């Protein structure tokens, strides 16, 4: 399941929500493909990851990726700045 592991299906209007989730997933796949086609690396961050661990681990994981450096598209921010 590509959704957040904490996500729950709504109890009311199930068909509506299932169709909406399917459209959202298709939209996300199209947008990700378009970004990759432009040379971007896509990283998906779920809100539940931020709630559980705060932003630090996600930011460090993104900055540790090789694509995060060398193209000038992502720069490490310093709090000393």
């Amino acid at each position: 399941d590509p959704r957040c592991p904490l996500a729950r299906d709504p109890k009311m209007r199930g068909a509506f929500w299932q169709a909406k989730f399917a459209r959202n997933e298709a939209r996300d796949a199209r947008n990700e493909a378009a970004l990759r086609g432009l040379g971007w690396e896509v990283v998906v961050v779920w809100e539940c990851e931020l709630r559980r661990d705060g932003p630090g681990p996600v930011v460090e994981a993104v900055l540790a990726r090789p694509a995060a450096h060398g193209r000038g598209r992502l720069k490490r921010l310093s709090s000393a700045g």
Side-chain angles (χ1 to χ4, degrees):
D1 187 352
R3 294 182 296 166
C4 178
L6 299 179
R8 300 290 176 259
D9 289 330
K11 294 181 191 275
M12 308 267 313
R13 301 179 63 199
F16 166 82
W17 286 106
Q18 289 303 316
K20 180 174 176 47
F21 294 149
R23 287 191 309 271
N24 288 355
E25 289 172 15
R27 179 207 57 214
D28 293 346
R30 284 191 311 271
N31 289 341
E32 183 175 331
L35 288 166
R36 288 185 189 281
L38 293 171
W40 287 86
E41 182 170 352
V42 177
V43 177
V44 176
V45 178
W46 291 103
E47 181 181 355
C48 59
E49 292 176 279
L50 299 175
R51 278 193 212 156
R52 183 185 62 224
D53 303 325
V58 172
V59 170
E60 289 304 316
V62 168
L63 291 174
R65 298 182 72 86
H69 306 283
R71 290 193 201 141
R73 290 184 173 156
L74 183 62
K75 296 183 179 174
R76 183 177 295 272
L77 299 177
S78 169
S79 60

